[in-house]
């Protein structure tokens, strides 16, 4: 019998790659989406357009416990991947309330629904390296203390605590993946890597003159989303649930990303970047670097696509995208 997976956040970067990955493994894939996505299909379902006929979408809301219970009872999933979240750190400073509400309550409602209505479902929670925030140790692993620096980071620490508590208190199969930044041509335009790759393409094609950025010295451990969704699945295939850091173990600054991206189209980044202090965050996460040795040892996972190829993939894809769409 084919396994059944339920994905929250299926319209996002990771949700779309995960859905494709699970379809290849012959899962029946179901996704929870917001009503707005159903109303505005061409725009909001763009990442799913090639697989729309192969998946089943259900309208529900992470803010409504009842709507989640209904879907879980109907779908009876073997595996639940909880990726839906207000995922943009900068926005979480502007709207703490909805970030905390969606991200914390959404996770709590799902866990509670699983406990009471589907206790055999395995649960994956999308934790984040933002939980380490103002880092206490370099590199960060599963034992590094958390010091979140935003409502987003706080919501992910709470989601992680809830996930562990449901595992320990109710013996449910619940895991947190503590994923470091991962990008791709499907990244949202608000995140710095996509903002840069998209601007590089537009500048090269004569549609834009400058790109305006904030903190160029922030350092991140950037991997490719395609590799990271595989790690999510691997976590749910083990006998015992556990938490894992997923990262590349290599760090680069925003400046490094921009320099490489511009150089790939033969341009010098210094001529095209302007700094706007309004884009600096009230509390910045200056440096993140992951130690994924536990995932390597236990899951036999390691990243396949490294920095240079990630940047190339994004720039080449955005050149095609801009030529095609004019946007
Ligand atoms: P993304 O592209 O921003 O996708 C977020 C998804 O959550 C979208 O499907 C979005 O739906 C949905 N969503 C947002 N607010 C919602 C709400 N109120 N109710 C229901 N759904 C809502 O994010 P991603 O990069 O794929 O990341 C997936 C998950 O991993 C997120 O939880 C994120 O916080 C976490 N994470 C990401 C990274 C990373 O580097 N990408 C690293 C660590 C952790 P709409 O399409 O309707 O907006
Ligand atoms: O691309 P970012 O917005 O990603 P950030 O804040 O690291 O968060 C992403 O990764 C987390 C994992 O660590 C996820 F949990 C989260 O959901 C999200 O996917 O910013 C990266 C860095 C920051 O230091 C920011 O200050 O880039 C810096 N930056 C500089 N100029 C900018 C800009 N960020 C954005 N978005 N836009 C800029 O113009």
């Amino acid at each position: 019998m084919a396994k059944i997976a339920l994905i929250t956040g299926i319209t996002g970067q990771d949700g779309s790659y995960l859905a494709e990955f699970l379809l290849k493994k012959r899962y029946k894939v179901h996704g929870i989406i917001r009503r707005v996505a159903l109303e505005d299909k061409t725009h909001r379902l763009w990442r799913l357009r090639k697989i729309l006929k192969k998946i089943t979408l259900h309208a529900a809301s992470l803010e409504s416990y009842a709507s989640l219970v209904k879907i879980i009872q109907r779908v009876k999933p073997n595996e639940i991947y909880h990726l839906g979240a207000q995922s943009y750190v900068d926005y979480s400073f502007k709207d703490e309330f909805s970030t905390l509400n969606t991200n914390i309550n959404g996770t709590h409602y799902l866990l509670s629904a699983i406990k009471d209505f589907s206790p055999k479902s395995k649960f994956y929670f999308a934790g984040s390296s933002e939980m380490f925030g103002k880092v206490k140790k370099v590199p960060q692993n599963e034992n590094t203390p958390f010091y979140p620096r935003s409502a987003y980071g706080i919501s992910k620490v709470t989601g992680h605590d809830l996930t562990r508590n449901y595992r320990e208190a109710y013996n449910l199969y619940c895991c947190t993946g503590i994923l470091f930044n991962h990008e791709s041509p499907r990244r949202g335009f608000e995140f710095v890597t996509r903002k840069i790759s998209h601007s590089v393409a537009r500048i090269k094609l004569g549609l834009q003159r400058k790109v305006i950025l904030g903190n160029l010295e922030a350092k991140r451990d950037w991997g490719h989303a395609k590799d990271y969704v595989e790690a999510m699945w691997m976590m749910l295939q083990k006998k015992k649930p556990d938490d894992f850091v997923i990262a590349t173990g290599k760090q680069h600054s925003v400046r490094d990303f921009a320099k490489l991206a511009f150089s790939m189209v033969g341009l010098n980044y210094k001529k095209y970047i302007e700094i706007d202090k309004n884009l600096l965050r009230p509390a910045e996460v200056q440096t993140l670097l992951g130690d994924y040795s536990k995932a390597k040892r236990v899951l036999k996972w390691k990243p396949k696509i490294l920095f240079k190829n990630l940047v190339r993939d994004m720039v080449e894809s955005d050149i095609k995208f801009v030529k095609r769409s004019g946007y």
Side-chain angles (χ1 to χ4, degrees):
M1 276 260 284
K3 279 194 188 171
I4 301 169
L6 178 64
I7 305 174
T8 73
I10 195 168
T11 56
Q13 171 189 257
D14 292 5
S16 64
Y17 282 120
L18 179 65
E20 285 169 11
F21 176 86
L22 294 173
L23 284 172
K24 283 201 187 113
K25 293 223 166 277
R26 308 213 166 274
Y27 278 61
K28 290 199 165 133
V29 177
H30 295 252
I32 286 179
I33 57 169
R34 302 199 255 190
R35 202 186 119 223
V36 279
L38 284 170
E39 274 174 3
D40 183 9
K41 285 186 185 162
T42 18
H43 182 57
R44 297 184 78 96
L45 301 183
W46 67 274
R47 295 180 177 103
L48 298 173
R49 65 190 181 282
K50 289 190 181 148
I51 55 165
L52 263 182
K53 289 195 175 130
K54 299 180 186 158
I55 58 179
T56 311
L57 298 176
H58 306 264
S61 166
L62 286 176
E63 289 86 22
S64 158
Y65 171 74
S67 75
L68 297 172
V69 166
K70 215 167 75 178
I71 304 303
I72 285 175
Q73 283 184 318
R74 191 182 303 157
V75 173
K76 299 185 180 57
N78 301 96
E79 296 170 13
I80 298 177
Y81 295 87
H82 177 35
L83 312 182
Q86 193 303 92
S87 71
Y88 186 30
V89 175
D90 191 52
Y91 181 80
S92 81
F93 288 105
K94 287 153 189 137
D95 184 2
E96 294 173 19
F97 291 91
S98 70
T99 302
L100 293 170
N101 183 23
T102 302
N103 294 8
I104 296 177
N105 289 340
T107 307
H108 180 209
Y109 294 161
L110 274 169
L111 284 163
S112 181
I114 291 170
K115 172 169 90 63
D116 289 338
F117 300 101
S118 190
K120 291 224 158 66
S121 299
K122 293 181 169 183
F123 178 79
Y124 171 87
F125 171 64
S128 163
S129 49
E130 278 290 306
M131 292 166 13
F132 298 118
K134 193 172 174 184
V135 297
K136 295 282 194 189
K137 218 186 99 199
V138 180
Q140 298 83 52
N141 67 20
E142 295 78 6
N143 300 316
T144 306
F146 298 132
Y147 192 136
R149 298 269 279 169
S150 62
Y152 172 81
I154 291 164
S155 75
K156 290 292 182 179
V157 172
T158 306
H160 173 53
D161 283 341
L162 282 163
T163 302
R164 184 179 31 72
N165 189 239
Y166 270 72
R167 178 167 76 218
E168 292 171 357
Y170 309 115
N171 209 20
L172 300 180
Y173 194 113
C174 306
C175 304
T176 296
I178 306 174
L179 271 53
F180 282 63
N181 296 53
H182 44 281
E183 321 291 312
S184 73
R186 295 188 195 169
R187 195 48 149 154
F189 290 94
E190 67 273 40
F191 299 97
V192 76
T193 54
R194 185 76 198 271
K195 186 171 171 184
I196 294 171
S197 64
H198 184 226
S199 299
V200 165
R202 286 177 54 84
I203 289 169
K204 183 68 184 173
L205 295 169
L207 296 173
Q208 185 177 319
R209 288 185 48 242
K210 298 268 179 198
V211 52
I212 299 168
L213 297 172
N215 179 8
L216 291 188
E217 308 317 326
K219 292 190 174 121
R220 291 291 183 273
D221 179 332
W222 276 300
H224 199 294
K226 270 189 186 170
D227 285 343
Y228 286 43
V229 299
E230 185 172 13
M232 296 175 189
W233 173 79
M234 285 172 156
M235 281 179 221
L236 296 198
Q237 310 313 308
K238 300 302 290 180
K239 263 213 166 94
K240 279 191 181 162
D242 204 349
D243 305 324
F244 292 92
V245 159
I246 301 297
T248 69
K250 301 263 186 307
Q251 193 185 50
H252 298 273
S253 64
V254 173
R255 182 187 296 280
D256 295 335
F257 192 103
K259 190 174 173 186
L260 184 58
F262 275 98
S263 77
M264 279 174 176
V265 296
L267 299 176
N268 180 348
Y269 78 104
K270 286 187 183 159
K271 291 189 187 157
Y272 302 99
I273 286 180
E274 262 176 30
I275 302 298
D276 180 350
K277 289 199 170 130
N278 291 315
L279 294 176
L280 300 179
R281 294 177 182 175
E284 174 66 294
V285 171
Q286 196 59 36
T287 173
L288 289 172
L289 177 64
D291 165 9
Y292 67 96
S293 46
K294 180 177 169 186
K296 194 174 172 189
R297 183 169 37 84
V298 180
L299 302 177
K300 314 285 177 232
W301 179 89
K302 65 174 187 191
K304 295 179 200 120
I305 307 168
L306 296 180
F307 188 65
K308 197 170 173 187
N309 288 336
L310 167 69
V311 180
R312 191 192 314 283
D313 189 20
M314 293 182 73
V315 170
E316 285 178 354
S317 162
D318 265 332
I319 288 175
K320 284 187 204 143
F321 170 76
V322 173
K323 279 185 180 162
R324 197 174 60 238
S325 67
Y327 169 68

